[in-house]
Amino acid sequence: MRAAPPSGTVTPAEPVAAAQDHATTTTERGSFCFARCTCGWSGPARRSRDLARTDAERHRTES
């Protein structure tokens, strides 16, 4: 399990559900938000939390 960087906050991506061992979260660093998955995948930096959550949901459904 990865620890969040000290300067960031970790919040569950919405909706919170694992699809085939893919549990996603969003991590904030400064004004950017990243989607991350327990499988090691991480999305691009986004200024919009909504877009980061969409990236996470897309990853869960396509994986």
Side-chain angles (χ1 to χ4, degrees):
M1 186 165 152
R2 293 182 182 177
S7 62
T9 57
V10 177
T11 56
E14 296 174 10
V16 178
Q20 299 175 1
D21 299 321
H22 289 272
T24 57
T25 58
T26 56
T27 303
E28 294 181 16
R29 271 194 225 154
S31 60
F32 291 94
C33 190
F34 301 83
R36 298 187 183 263
C37 182
T38 55
C39 74
W41 171 88
S42 68
R46 303 283 195 180
R47 287 192 184 266
S48 167
R49 289 181 190 100
D50 243 10
L51 286 176
R53 289 182 191 119
T54 301
D55 291 340
E57 182 62 26
R58 187 176 302 128
H59 168 72
R60 288 181 343 102
T61 58
E62 292 176 357
S63 296

